[in-house]
Amino acid sequence: MKIAVPTEVKNSEGRVALTPAGADALVHAGHEVIVQRGAGEGSRIPDSAYEAAGARIAPDAEETWGEADLLVKVKEPTPAEFGFLRDDLTLFAYLHLAADRPLTRRLVEAGTTAVAYETVQLADRSLPLLTPMSEVAGRLSIVNGSHHLLRTKGGRGMLLGGIAGTPRGRVAVIGGGVAGEHAAASALGLGAQVTVLDVSLPRLRELERRYGGALETRHSTRHAVAEAVAGADLVVGSVLIPGAAAPKLVTDDMVRAMRAGSVLVDIAIDQGGCFEGSRPTTHDDPVFPVHDVLFSCVANLPGAVPETSTRALTNATLPYIQRIADLGWDAAAAADPALAKGLNVAAGEIANAGVAEAFAG
């Protein structure tokens, strides 16, 4: 099979979908790997490293997409790439279609088989291809949020951990999944006071056991969210419903009640965001004001640390890429129920219930 890796074009996106080690594994399994010139530069991987692994370097996006049987990406195709979609192509990438009607429409029109990393789901309901980027995004949410809390960046001027004789910052994490836990752990590491809210009591008990008295947990209700947000210096939104649009849990009224200079980081923005006022931002222009607080809603947050993210992503995706390459999509999906759940669009139809529900009516 011909497996192609294009250069990512999203703003400040330094990741690439496959490392030279991944290319080497696929080539040694008898497949052809085509990498667009410069695709790895953002992750400090030169073309020569791919060539040494047996990959062929394509000069541009047109040739890279055009030769692919299976195209592996990091982020979803942008409008500039819509023309490359076709009915004999299998696309494997983060797609987040519930928040992207134009891309969904184009995939349906093109007849592309579109498989989303974020909806591949194991029997225990875990998301093996989303997990590594959720870990990165959770940790970066605290780095990002604490940076924008600086007074010079328009924030409160609050040091999350404080120092002796001063109050510590308060962090509210809405959603206790992988990203939420990593955000909480990072905030605790800085010395902040941290509250995690989640609808799952078993998950909250698990977090209590893991972090003991260092962490406060609250069952997530509208009232509990409003209380936590009102007292927070930094709010991290990390709510996830696989494949579906994120629910809007932090309302405009809750934001209005926050103290001036507080910061909200919405890492659910790929699925539409879990704050009422959220809209996607970029690494170049990451924040915008709402009332007297700052929203940060960067849609490709892990792209800021591509040397880490690229390797973590390939570690997770390579076994699934190999399975599709070895068997073809239909046989691979039949053999692996977790991979089958990744199918979002096929043969001109939406194949994922969460995506279909987002566009119903």
Side-chain angles (χ1 to χ4, degrees), residues 125-314:
R125 299 179 62 82
S126 63
L127 304 168
L129 306 189
L130 188 60
T131 292
M133 295 304 97
S134 294
E135 292 172 341
V136 173
R139 296 187 186 199
L140 282 179
S141 69
I142 302 303
V143 174
N144 191 23
S146 59
H147 175 71
H148 290 294
L149 276 170
L150 297 176
R151 188 67 184 89
T152 52
K153 297 297 179 182
R156 288 184 54 75
M158 166 68 71
L159 183 65
L160 282 182
I163 61 168
T166 70
R168 293 179 292 151
R170 294 179 178 271
V171 177
V173 180
I174 304 172
V178 174
E181 179 178 354
H182 279 261
S186 292
L188 287 172
L190 291 176
Q193 300 181 67
V194 182
T195 300
V196 176
L197 300 97
D198 199 278
V199 294
S200 170
L201 289 175
R203 179 57 176 165
L204 294 178
R205 292 189 184 104
E206 181 181 352
L207 292 172
E208 289 270 3
R209 286 193 297 270
R210 191 167 296 164
Y211 297 96
L215 184 72
E216 180 181 342
T217 59
R218 299 281 302 277
H219 184 246
S220 184
T221 64
R222 179 183 172 87
H223 186 268
V225 169
E227 278 193 338
V229 167
D233 302 295
L234 171 60
V235 178
V236 175
S238 59
V239 177
L240 174 68
I241 301 173
K248 305 295 186 185
L249 299 183
V250 175
T251 67
D252 188 66
D253 286 341
M254 294 178 192
V255 171
R256 187 180 289 110
M258 295 180 72
R259 290 174 293 180
S262 299
V263 175
L264 298 96
V265 179
D266 195 341
I267 54 178
I269 192 62
D270 282 316
Q271 294 294 126
C274 60
F275 307 150
E276 184 179 355
S278 290
R279 57 176 172 80
T281 61
T282 67
H283 289 285
D284 287 347
D285 188 13
V287 298
F288 59 91
V290 175
H291 303 303
D292 293 323
V293 306
L294 293 176
F295 273 46
S296 176
C297 309
V298 177
N300 59 328
L301 197 55
V305 288
E307 287 199 61
T308 297
S309 297
T310 286
R311 287 159 178 79
L313 181 60
T314 296

Side-chain angles (χ1 to χ4, degrees), residues 96-109:
H96 300 288
L97 295 183
D100 195 336
R101 187 180 293 269
L103 174 57
T104 304
R105 182 184 302 115
R106 184 65 189 113
L107 287 167
V108 168
E109 291 171 351

Side-chain angles (χ1 to χ4, degrees), residues 98 101 241 243-245 350 352-361:
R101 187 180 293 269
I241 301 173
I350 295 174
N352 177 276
V355 176
E357 183 178 351
F359 299 137

